[in-house]
Amino acid sequence: MPPIPGSGLAKGLAVTLRTMTKKTVTAQYPDTQPELPPRSRGVIGLFEENCTVCMLCARECPDWCIYIDSHKETVPPAAPGGRERSRNVLDRFAIDFSLCMYCGICIEVCPFDALFWSPEFEYAETDIHELTHERDKLREWMWTVPEPPALDPGAEEPKEIAAARKTADKLATQQAQQAQQAQRSEEGGTP
């Protein structure tokens, strides 16, 4: 049986009429901001105080888009008679986002939590050279990093906190005993 002439046109118009009556799902991006998941990957922020210039992030980066420069400084001894120590001081920390593939290896490998994902994604530039963000710009992104999710209430206490609490309790007990001994010696020594 031959097809009826104009049946394809009628089917196409039927689809058009059906979609015209439905509500649109297109978000008008510049006017309305998208609702992103809380831990989405946008840009990388640097918490400079935690960076020890260990260079792990730059070494593990598959794209070699992280540039770090540093120098060594001598730190005086903490106690008299101690020896001087040297430490690395960060001079330059830059990430070239025109090369970055947003894999997150640098963030995962950082042992000192100096790098974080920020959900900000609006950092387009007209010149590709401006996509290299220096440490000042990376520090600005830290203000947009969301708080980490709350810990599970049923989880174990981290061993670092448990050790610190144990030491603090021990110190408090020793101070209380010393205070009691001092009070007893005052009461027993005076007529």
Side-chain angles (χ1 to χ4, degrees):
M1 176 166 165
I4 300 172
S7 64
L9 178 65
K11 287 180 183 178
L13 287 174
V15 169
T16 303
L17 288 173
R18 272 196 310 267
T19 56
M20 281 178 53
T21 58
K22 292 181 181 177
K23 186 178 177 183
T24 61
V25 293
T26 304
Q28 301 301 322
Y29 164 63
D31 299 330
T32 59
Q33 293 294 322
E35 291 183 26
L36 299 172
R39 303 299 288 179
S40 60
R41 295 180 177 190
V43 69
I44 297 170
L46 170 69
F47 190 56
E48 194 174 330
E49 287 78 17
N50 286 358
C51 184
T52 61
V53 197
C54 65
M55 305 274 191
L56 278 173
C57 54
R59 277 186 277 166
E60 295 295 325
C61 179
D63 292 334
W64 292 83
C65 65
I66 300 175
Y67 310 110
I68 301 174
D69 292 329
S70 67
H71 69 276
K72 288 198 180 275
E73 266 185 11
T74 304
V75 179
R83 65 172 201 188
E84 292 182 338
R85 304 216 179 247
S86 65
R87 69 178 184 109
N88 285 331
V89 177
L90 185 66
D91 292 330
R92 179 181 186 223
F93 193 106
I95 299 176
D96 188 352
F97 286 106
S98 64
L99 296 175
C100 183
M101 65 179 183
Y102 303 91
C103 63
I105 292 174
C106 57
I107 295 169
E108 295 297 322
V109 79
C110 182
F112 303 104
D113 289 334
L115 297 172
F116 294 91
W117 281 117
S118 168
E120 291 295 318
F121 60 91
E122 298 176 313
Y123 54 95
E125 300 288 345
T126 55
D127 184 14
I128 196 168
H129 298 293
E130 293 176 9
L131 282 173
T132 301
H133 292 185
E134 296 293 332
R135 70 182 188 185
D136 298 333
K137 183 76 170 178
L138 294 172
R139 185 173 191 61
E140 289 176 21
W141 294 118
M142 275 306 295
W143 301 113
T144 61
V145 173
E147 288 289 321
L151 296 175
D152 183 13
E156 275 185 26
E157 186 176 45
K159 58 185 170 190
E160 295 87 359
I161 294 174
R165 181 170 289 121
K166 185 177 178 183
T167 305
D169 291 344
K170 190 184 227 183
L171 255 167
T173 305
Q174 287 175 352
Q175 289 175 350
Q177 288 174 351
Q178 289 174 354
Q180 287 176 353
Q181 288 175 354
Q183 187 178 15
R184 285 183 196 146
S185 65
E186 285 179 9
E187 290 174 359
T190 55

